[in-house]
Amino acid sequence: HAGGRAANDRRGGPPRHQGGGGGANPGSQNTGPSGMFENPYNFIPVLARDDTQGELWDVEPEGHHRYHPDRWTGRIHIELTTKTPLLVPDLGVERQNGHKVFGLRLDENGVPVLPPTSIKGPLRVAYEAITNSRMGVFADHGERLALRPPAQSGAAVVPVRVSEDGEHLQVLRGTTTLTASGAPAQGEPQCAAWLPYHGTKHLLKGGRNLACHGSRVWARIQGWAHFRRRHANDAWRQDFRFWRALELAPDSENSPTDTPTVHPEPLRPPPADPNKRTGSTPVDLKTQWVRGWVMINGLNITRKHDERVFLEPTNEEAKETIPVTPELRSAWRTLIASYRDANERELTRGHRAPSALPQDGTYDFSRHIHEACARSTASRLEPGTLCYAALSGDGQGRRADALYPVMISRDLYPCAPDALLPDNVGPAAKLGQLSPADRVFGWVNQGGNGSFKGQLRIGAVTCLDGANAIKLQEGVQGTPLAILGQPKPSQARFYAAANKRGDPLPDGGNKKDGYRADGGLRGRKVYPHQRQAEMKGYWIPVDDVRQPLPERLNGREVFREWQSHGRERTDQNRSITAWVKEGMRFAFDLDLINLSAVELGAMLWLLDELAEGHLRIGGGKPLGFGSVNLHVISLDLSNGASLAADYRAFGARVSGGRRIVSKADAEGVKDTYMSALSSALGQQGSFETLPIIKAFRNAARGGNLPTHYPRTDQQRGPVGDTYKWFTHNEDWTNSRHERHSLPSLGNDDDDRGLPTLIAT
């Protein structure tokens, strides 16, 4: 896997990424010698569940009203040891520029406080994974997610307008012939005319500015062609044809009566400027007047110069309308909401344009983004709405499959994520549906009434090292940390699966194949342990990461961004004044009541794994914080029959029933769990080869690769610039690009790596 991702030979152009065959660039902050890195998060697969799975299936819990004879009750005393620093933030204090500073949660004696819930939540996630239980929480995933398709997708859409009654779409294809698939025929001009707008005088007639969005006008149009070449010495190649609007006139029943002008310049290819790779030229000397509607979206990208005029068909027979279906309205609402969600934060901060563009007032967000974030009527397909449609069929059978606010628009995946959950994996809706994790840790119905108090309780957590466990940072201002990324489930190559087993999407495929009906989801999101965070000196800030310090070992992720940007403190990053040092110890009791042999066996197996493997708790997990080991100090567990015998003897220990007071005693119930899981999953081979067990162990033990969010090789910018890596990853213009998906957590070490993409 890694060896197949070697750097490309420079003779064919700049390499797109570095793989196992190529070393990292000198001075790169991103990778180790293999040129690969591991993503901070990954997934443990969730496999389909059914009623053949015995005690790992869904059943109503036994209840707390008695000690059941064959159930286990008692206490496990556990010592927790931090392997990397632990963040347990107290309430934040906002400083200048919206920057927040967080202290460490302490008790009245200045000793770190670790809430039991900080352990119970992550422990439940781990228990869910190793028992293939239902997900405890899976909310707000009922809408289809949006993606950015290749730019070529804009060639297949057709301008439309919502009719005055709001129930139909007027197909505005002008003079262009549509194929049976609904797209413009090959060689035909684009349906809409290009309107010179940005950086030019607006086209008008009679001294009146007519280039206003939604205006109905007459446009004098002329046939043009767009040309492209790869290198300066290459011949020009015609890319596509389009209409160019040379003049606008006010709307009237009849076209303007003046004689159409002839373009005075002779036909010729674009100028032979060595710096130009694209150009356009007229291909028809004649012009004509066509009625249409002005579409203005604003200066939303660099080098934009034209807006559009949606042209009405030039004869009555060519005019057609298409019904607006409820499905179209629903998909439109979802699509506009995705634009709002993606840009609302920037707009509420007063940004006038996307963060990738200069904020000097020159550029702007697209019109529909402003309307969406203002929560206006943009999402309701009001009469007069101008948009683009993906059409299919011909003649009377023509239909609209999707609507888009702009020509190259976000698109929607075929299915919503919650439609792809394997059977019986979503949160339980009633008592009879409780999976092992629900029964052990408790359950609350997300959709209404119903709850169950779990059979596990974590007692008070005591810090055994007292105030010595605290590592103070730089005074009251603290130390700024690198920005944490927000979940981006729309990145289907990371979140969507090729099948119900949770296998990654194949590299190189179309990303729209994600979230499709025959696919699935990757599983439960986890943050694998980062071995790099255990390196000596890793948590000591370095004054300047640009210094060639050998001990820096390609940068410490927790400080990288802060040190690369002049120690900035903004509303995006956060500072901490203290953390719990590595090697510190906490103690707590795990109280259990009425666990079955399988339920208890799973818990004991999990605790054994976490003695060497790592549970991730607290904040800052993507940066390496919060890896801890759990060590069982003592066991005191009895089944109900043994407890009944004790009560009959007034507390004296008598024979009868079973007890677990040592690891040797626990082996039997652990074997019961392991056999039950192997049987439930119907997998061939040993317990250790089960996909969820391999993935869990790899997450708990961590890999050898450097771990960080995706970024390009020379990138030193904030984590928000990870979009550059994803943009390079989706570069469809280079056939050598592999378009990588997130590798499986079940792979071994370097096979879980992603390549660093070279910035071009």
Side-chain angles (χ1 to χ4, degrees), residues 413-450:
Y413 288 104
C415 295
D418 67 357
L420 303 181
L421 275 181
D423 294 339
N424 303 303
V425 168
K430 56 185 179 180
L431 277 176
Q433 295 179 344
L434 299 199
S435 63
D438 298 314
R439 300 191 297 264
V440 173
F441 285 85
W443 164 77
V444 175
N445 186 5
Q446 292 188 38
N449 296 326

mmCIF file of all heavy atoms in Angstrom, residues 413-450:
data_model
loop_
_atom_site.group_PDB
_atom_site.id
_atom_site.type_symbol
_atom_site.label_atom_id
_atom_site.label_comp_id
_atom_site.label_asym_id
_atom_site.label_seq_id
_atom_site.Cartn_x
_atom_site.Cartn_y
_atom_site.Cartn_z
ATOM 1 N N TYR A 413 -25.265 14.066 -2.049
ATOM 2 C CA TYR A 413 -25.054 12.627 -2.156
ATOM 3 C C TYR A 413 -26.398 11.918 -2.296
ATOM 4 O O TYR A 413 -27.442 12.451 -1.883
ATOM 5 C CB TYR A 413 -24.325 12.107 -0.918
ATOM 6 C CG TYR A 413 -22.867 12.510 -0.850
ATOM 7 C CD1 TYR A 413 -22.446 13.525 0.008
ATOM 8 C CD2 TYR A 413 -21.915 11.869 -1.629
ATOM 9 C CE1 TYR A 413 -21.111 13.895 0.070
ATOM 10 C CE2 TYR A 413 -20.576 12.230 -1.564
ATOM 11 C CZ TYR A 413 -20.180 13.243 -0.720
ATOM 12 O OH TYR A 413 -18.857 13.600 -0.652
ATOM 13 N N PRO A 414 -26.406 10.712 -2.841
ATOM 14 C CA PRO A 414 -27.679 10.030 -3.080
ATOM 15 C C PRO A 414 -28.489 9.736 -1.823
ATOM 16 O O PRO A 414 -29.719 9.771 -1.859
ATOM 17 C CB PRO A 414 -27.256 8.722 -3.771
ATOM 18 C CG PRO A 414 -25.927 9.023 -4.375
ATOM 19 C CD PRO A 414 -25.265 10.000 -3.450
ATOM 20 N N CYS A 415 -27.826 9.444 -0.690
ATOM 21 C CA CYS A 415 -28.542 9.026 0.520
ATOM 22 C C CYS A 415 -28.068 9.836 1.725
ATOM 23 O O CYS A 415 -26.922 10.294 1.776
ATOM 24 C CB CYS A 415 -28.314 7.538 0.805
ATOM 25 S SG CYS A 415 -28.989 6.424 -0.440
ATOM 26 N N ALA A 416 -28.951 9.965 2.703
ATOM 27 C CA ALA A 416 -28.574 10.547 3.988
ATOM 28 C C ALA A 416 -27.802 9.503 4.802
ATOM 29 O O ALA A 416 -28.033 8.300 4.653
ATOM 30 C CB ALA A 416 -29.812 10.992 4.751
ATOM 31 N N PRO A 417 -26.876 9.929 5.678
ATOM 32 C CA PRO A 417 -26.090 8.954 6.443
ATOM 33 C C PRO A 417 -26.924 7.969 7.249
ATOM 34 O O PRO A 417 -26.602 6.778 7.294
ATOM 35 C CB PRO A 417 -25.238 9.841 7.356
ATOM 36 C CG PRO A 417 -25.073 11.113 6.592
ATOM 37 C CD PRO A 417 -26.384 11.309 5.880
ATOM 38 N N ASP A 418 -28.014 8.439 7.886
ATOM 39 C CA ASP A 418 -28.745 7.502 8.739
ATOM 40 C C ASP A 418 -29.474 6.434 7.939
ATOM 41 O O ASP A 418 -29.887 5.405 8.500
ATOM 42 C CB ASP A 418 -29.697 8.242 9.684
ATOM 43 C CG ASP A 418 -30.839 8.927 8.970
ATOM 44 O OD1 ASP A 418 -30.891 8.903 7.727
ATOM 45 O OD2 ASP A 418 -31.702 9.511 9.666
ATOM 46 N N ALA A 419 -29.629 6.626 6.621
ATOM 47 C CA ALA A 419 -30.230 5.589 5.789
ATOM 48 C C ALA A 419 -29.256 4.446 5.520
ATOM 49 O O ALA A 419 -29.666 3.390 5.024
ATOM 50 C CB ALA A 419 -30.711 6.187 4.472
ATOM 51 N N LEU A 420 -27.981 4.648 5.843
ATOM 52 C CA LEU A 420 -26.955 3.655 5.545
ATOM 53 C C LEU A 420 -26.497 2.880 6.773
ATOM 54 O O LEU A 420 -25.613 2.035 6.662
ATOM 55 C CB LEU A 420 -25.745 4.337 4.901
ATOM 56 C CG LEU A 420 -26.044 5.122 3.616
ATOM 57 C CD1 LEU A 420 -24.764 5.731 3.063
ATOM 58 C CD2 LEU A 420 -26.695 4.231 2.571
ATOM 59 N N LEU A 421 -27.081 3.178 7.939
ATOM 60 C CA LEU A 421 -26.719 2.397 9.123
ATOM 61 C C LEU A 421 -27.100 0.934 8.924
ATOM 62 O O LEU A 421 -28.189 0.631 8.427
ATOM 63 C CB LEU A 421 -27.447 2.927 10.349
ATOM 64 C CG LEU A 421 -26.835 4.100 11.106
ATOM 65 C CD1 LEU A 421 -27.713 4.448 12.294
ATOM 66 C CD2 LEU A 421 -25.436 3.788 11.571
ATOM 67 N N PRO A 422 -26.228 0.001 9.292
ATOM 68 C CA PRO A 422 -26.614 -1.411 9.224
ATOM 69 C C PRO A 422 -27.848 -1.683 10.082
ATOM 70 O O PRO A 422 -28.198 -0.916 10.983
ATOM 71 C CB PRO A 422 -25.383 -2.142 9.778
ATOM 72 C CG PRO A 422 -24.254 -1.186 9.580
ATOM 73 C CD PRO A 422 -24.841 0.183 9.739
ATOM 74 N N ASP A 423 -28.513 -2.769 9.792
ATOM 75 C CA ASP A 423 -29.734 -3.123 10.521
ATOM 76 C C ASP A 423 -29.478 -3.185 12.027
ATOM 77 O O ASP A 423 -28.477 -3.735 12.484
ATOM 78 C CB ASP A 423 -30.267 -4.483 10.048
ATOM 79 C CG ASP A 423 -30.737 -4.443 8.607
ATOM 80 O OD1 ASP A 423 -31.016 -3.323 8.123
ATOM 81 O OD2 ASP A 423 -30.807 -5.507 7.972
ATOM 82 N N ASN A 424 -30.396 -2.627 12.775
ATOM 83 C CA ASN A 424 -30.392 -2.706 14.239
ATOM 84 C C ASN A 424 -29.119 -2.135 14.878
ATOM 85 O O ASN A 424 -28.665 -2.628 15.911
ATOM 86 C CB ASN A 424 -30.574 -4.163 14.692
ATOM 87 C CG ASN A 424 -31.830 -4.781 14.140
ATOM 88 O OD1 ASN A 424 -32.920 -4.261 14.347
ATOM 89 N ND2 ASN A 424 -31.688 -5.872 13.403
ATOM 90 N N VAL A 425 -28.567 -1.088 14.259
ATOM 91 C CA VAL A 425 -27.382 -0.448 14.802
ATOM 92 C C VAL A 425 -27.698 0.929 15.371
ATOM 93 O O VAL A 425 -27.001 1.417 16.251
ATOM 94 C CB VAL A 425 -26.276 -0.349 13.718
ATOM 95 C CG1 VAL A 425 -25.152 0.563 14.151
ATOM 96 C CG2 VAL A 425 -25.735 -1.737 13.408
ATOM 97 N N GLY A 426 -28.764 1.575 14.905
ATOM 98 C CA GLY A 426 -29.136 2.885 15.409
ATOM 99 C C GLY A 426 -29.567 2.835 16.863
ATOM 100 O O GLY A 426 -29.805 1.758 17.429
ATOM 101 N N PRO A 427 -29.673 3.993 17.529
ATOM 102 C CA PRO A 427 -30.070 4.024 18.938
ATOM 103 C C PRO A 427 -31.393 3.309 19.185
ATOM 104 O O PRO A 427 -32.311 3.353 18.363
ATOM 105 C CB PRO A 427 -30.186 5.530 19.227
ATOM 106 C CG PRO A 427 -29.271 6.174 18.245
ATOM 107 C CD PRO A 427 -29.365 5.346 17.005
ATOM 108 N N ALA A 428 -31.476 2.650 20.328
ATOM 109 C CA ALA A 428 -32.690 1.913 20.687
ATOM 110 C C ALA A 428 -33.856 2.864 20.909
ATOM 111 O O ALA A 428 -33.675 3.997 21.370
ATOM 112 C CB ALA A 428 -32.436 1.084 21.946
ATOM 113 N N ALA A 429 -35.067 2.384 20.579
ATOM 114 C CA ALA A 429 -36.271 3.196 20.747
ATOM 115 C C ALA A 429 -37.172 2.678 21.865
ATOM 116 O O ALA A 429 -38.120 3.356 22.255
ATOM 117 C CB ALA A 429 -37.053 3.252 19.435
ATOM 118 N N LYS A 430 -36.895 1.478 22.399
ATOM 119 C CA LYS A 430 -37.701 0.937 23.489
ATOM 120 C C LYS A 430 -36.870 -0.069 24.282
ATOM 121 O O LYS A 430 -35.789 -0.507 23.835
ATOM 122 C CB LYS A 430 -38.964 0.278 22.950
ATOM 123 C CG LYS A 430 -38.723 -0.806 21.921
ATOM 124 C CD LYS A 430 -40.038 -1.325 21.355
ATOM 125 C CE LYS A 430 -39.806 -2.410 20.305
ATOM 126 N NZ LYS A 430 -41.091 -2.909 19.751
ATOM 127 N N LEU A 431 -37.365 -0.440 25.447
ATOM 128 C CA LEU A 431 -36.598 -1.305 26.347
ATOM 129 C C LEU A 431 -36.214 -2.631 25.712
ATOM 130 O O LEU A 431 -35.130 -3.160 25.957
ATOM 131 C CB LEU A 431 -37.393 -1.564 27.630
ATOM 132 C CG LEU A 431 -37.308 -0.499 28.725
ATOM 133 C CD1 LEU A 431 -38.236 -0.862 29.877
ATOM 134 C CD2 LEU A 431 -35.878 -0.357 29.230
ATOM 135 N N GLY A 432 -37.084 -3.171 24.888
ATOM 136 C CA GLY A 432 -36.809 -4.474 24.288
ATOM 137 C C GLY A 432 -35.713 -4.446 23.254
ATOM 138 O O GLY A 432 -35.304 -5.502 22.755
ATOM 139 N N GLN A 433 -35.211 -3.260 22.916
ATOM 140 C CA GLN A 433 -34.168 -3.135 21.903
ATOM 141 C C GLN A 433 -32.792 -2.834 22.500
ATOM 142 O O GLN A 433 -31.859 -2.522 21.768
ATOM 143 C CB GLN A 433 -34.530 -2.010 20.922
ATOM 144 C CG GLN A 433 -35.767 -2.284 20.093
ATOM 145 C CD GLN A 433 -36.096 -1.130 19.165
ATOM 146 O OE1 GLN A 433 -35.599 -0.017 19.341
ATOM 147 N NE2 GLN A 433 -36.936 -1.378 18.167
ATOM 148 N N LEU A 434 -32.639 -2.960 23.814
ATOM 149 C CA LEU A 434 -31.366 -2.570 24.420
ATOM 150 C C LEU A 434 -30.272 -3.585 24.096
ATOM 151 O O LEU A 434 -30.387 -4.775 24.371
ATOM 152 C CB LEU A 434 -31.511 -2.425 25.928
ATOM 153 C CG LEU A 434 -32.510 -1.379 26.442
ATOM 154 C CD1 LEU A 434 -32.217 -1.031 27.882
ATOM 155 C CD2 LEU A 434 -32.493 -0.127 25.581
ATOM 156 N N SER A 435 -29.163 -3.073 23.540
ATOM 157 C CA SER A 435 -27.990 -3.884 23.238
ATOM 158 C C SER A 435 -27.121 -3.976 24.488
ATOM 159 O O SER A 435 -27.407 -3.337 25.509
ATOM 160 C CB SER A 435 -27.219 -3.246 22.081
ATOM 161 O OG SER A 435 -26.738 -1.973 22.465
ATOM 162 N N PRO A 436 -26.029 -4.774 24.463
ATOM 163 C CA PRO A 436 -25.203 -4.907 25.668
ATOM 164 C C PRO A 436 -24.740 -3.578 26.260
ATOM 165 O O PRO A 436 -24.802 -3.374 27.476
ATOM 166 C CB PRO A 436 -24.030 -5.754 25.177
ATOM 167 C CG PRO A 436 -24.596 -6.589 24.091
ATOM 168 C CD PRO A 436 -25.597 -5.713 23.407
ATOM 169 N N ALA A 437 -24.264 -2.642 25.421
ATOM 170 C CA ALA A 437 -23.788 -1.361 25.955
ATOM 171 C C ALA A 437 -24.922 -0.560 26.569
ATOM 172 O O ALA A 437 -24.734 0.124 27.577
ATOM 173 C CB ALA A 437 -23.111 -0.551 24.851
ATOM 174 N N ASP A 438 -26.120 -0.635 25.998
ATOM 175 C CA ASP A 438 -27.271 0.067 26.569
ATOM 176 C C ASP A 438 -27.622 -0.493 27.938
ATOM 177 O O ASP A 438 -27.938 0.251 28.872
ATOM 178 C CB ASP A 438 -28.494 -0.068 25.647
ATOM 179 C CG ASP A 438 -28.257 0.549 24.284
ATOM 180 O OD1 ASP A 438 -27.743 1.674 24.242
ATOM 181 O OD2 ASP A 438 -28.579 -0.100 23.273
ATOM 182 N N ARG A 439 -27.572 -1.817 28.060
ATOM 183 C CA ARG A 439 -27.934 -2.443 29.331
ATOM 184 C C ARG A 439 -26.894 -2.147 30.410
ATOM 185 O O ARG A 439 -27.235 -1.907 31.574
ATOM 186 C CB ARG A 439 -28.082 -3.959 29.137
ATOM 187 C CG ARG A 439 -29.145 -4.349 28.115
ATOM 188 C CD ARG A 439 -29.442 -5.834 28.154
ATOM 189 N NE ARG A 439 -28.317 -6.674 27.806
ATOM 190 C CZ ARG A 439 -28.085 -7.179 26.597
ATOM 191 N NH1 ARG A 439 -28.888 -6.863 25.577
ATOM 192 N NH2 ARG A 439 -27.047 -7.961 26.365
ATOM 193 N N VAL A 440 -25.626 -2.146 30.042
ATOM 194 C CA VAL A 440 -24.556 -1.961 31.029
ATOM 195 C C VAL A 440 -24.394 -0.495 31.414
ATOM 196 O O VAL A 440 -24.265 -0.161 32.596
ATOM 197 C CB VAL A 440 -23.230 -2.539 30.495
ATOM 198 C CG1 VAL A 440 -22.079 -2.195 31.439
ATOM 199 C CG2 VAL A 440 -23.347 -4.054 30.332
ATOM 200 N N PHE A 441 -24.411 0.397 30.432
ATOM 201 C CA PHE A 441 -24.105 1.804 30.699
ATOM 202 C C PHE A 441 -25.345 2.687 30.827
ATOM 203 O O PHE A 441 -25.237 3.832 31.244
ATOM 204 C CB PHE A 441 -23.203 2.355 29.590
ATOM 205 C CG PHE A 441 -21.785 1.879 29.681
ATOM 206 C CD1 PHE A 441 -21.401 0.670 29.122
ATOM 207 C CD2 PHE A 441 -20.823 2.620 30.343
ATOM 208 C CE1 PHE A 441 -20.091 0.220 29.200
ATOM 209 C CE2 PHE A 441 -19.511 2.188 30.435
ATOM 210 C CZ PHE A 441 -19.142 0.976 29.872
ATOM 211 N N GLY A 442 -26.494 2.184 30.469
ATOM 212 C CA GLY A 442 -27.710 2.969 30.583
ATOM 213 C C GLY A 442 -28.205 3.457 29.235
ATOM 214 O O GLY A 442 -27.477 3.470 28.238
ATOM 215 N N TRP A 443 -29.484 3.890 29.230
ATOM 216 C CA TRP A 443 -30.113 4.255 27.958
ATOM 217 C C TRP A 443 -31.161 5.337 28.185
ATOM 218 O O TRP A 443 -31.870 5.328 29.194
ATOM 219 C CB TRP A 443 -30.773 3.018 27.358
ATOM 220 C CG TRP A 443 -31.763 3.289 26.260
ATOM 221 C CD1 TRP A 443 -31.507 3.605 24.968
ATOM 222 C CD2 TRP A 443 -33.188 3.246 26.380
ATOM 223 N NE1 TRP A 443 -32.677 3.770 24.269
ATOM 224 C CE2 TRP A 443 -33.728 3.551 25.102
ATOM 225 C CE3 TRP A 443 -34.062 2.973 27.437
ATOM 226 C CZ2 TRP A 443 -35.105 3.602 24.869
ATOM 227 C CZ3 TRP A 443 -35.437 3.019 27.205
ATOM 228 C CH2 TRP A 443 -35.939 3.325 25.931
ATOM 229 N N VAL A 444 -31.214 6.292 27.272
ATOM 230 C CA VAL A 444 -32.268 7.298 27.237
ATOM 231 C C VAL A 444 -32.783 7.359 25.813
ATOM 232 O O VAL A 444 -31.997 7.475 24.864
ATOM 233 C CB VAL A 444 -31.753 8.689 27.673
ATOM 234 C CG1 VAL A 444 -32.837 9.741 27.500
ATOM 235 C CG2 VAL A 444 -31.272 8.653 29.113
ATOM 236 N N ASN A 445 -34.074 7.267 25.642
ATOM 237 C CA ASN A 445 -34.681 7.283 24.320
ATOM 238 C C ASN A 445 -34.501 8.659 23.683
ATOM 239 O O ASN A 445 -34.991 9.662 24.199
ATOM 240 C CB ASN A 445 -36.167 6.938 24.424
ATOM 241 C CG ASN A 445 -36.829 6.804 23.064
ATOM 242 O OD1 ASN A 445 -36.173 6.879 22.030
ATOM 243 N ND2 ASN A 445 -38.131 6.609 23.060
ATOM 244 N N GLN A 446 -33.797 8.714 22.553
ATOM 245 C CA GLN A 446 -33.575 9.989 21.871
ATOM 246 C C GLN A 446 -34.845 10.537 21.251
ATOM 247 O O GLN A 446 -34.968 11.744 21.036
ATOM 248 C CB GLN A 446 -32.527 9.829 20.762
ATOM 249 C CG GLN A 446 -31.132 9.557 21.275
ATOM 250 C CD GLN A 446 -30.110 9.593 20.154
ATOM 251 O OE1 GLN A 446 -30.199 10.399 19.246
ATOM 252 N NE2 GLN A 446 -29.145 8.700 20.223
ATOM 253 N N GLY A 447 -35.802 9.647 20.966
ATOM 254 C CA GLY A 447 -36.993 10.089 20.253
ATOM 255 C C GLY A 447 -38.209 10.315 21.120
ATOM 256 O O GLY A 447 -39.301 10.558 20.598
ATOM 257 N N GLY A 448 -38.086 10.228 22.419
ATOM 258 C CA GLY A 448 -39.255 10.423 23.271
ATOM 259 C C GLY A 448 -39.050 9.867 24.661
ATOM 260 O O GLY A 448 -37.947 9.911 25.203
ATOM 261 N N ASN A 449 -40.109 9.316 25.253
ATOM 262 C CA ASN A 449 -40.050 8.810 26.617
ATOM 263 C C ASN A 449 -39.349 7.461 26.675
ATOM 264 O O ASN A 449 -39.357 6.687 25.725
ATOM 265 C CB ASN A 449 -41.465 8.678 27.191
ATOM 266 C CG ASN A 449 -42.157 10.029 27.310
ATOM 267 O OD1 ASN A 449 -41.503 11.031 27.573
ATOM 268 N ND2 ASN A 449 -43.469 10.054 27.103
ATOM 269 N N GLY A 450 -38.774 7.173 27.824
ATOM 270 C CA GLY A 450 -38.132 5.887 28.042
ATOM 271 C C GLY A 450 -36.687 6.033 28.460
ATOM 272 O O GLY A 450 -35.943 6.837 27.880
#
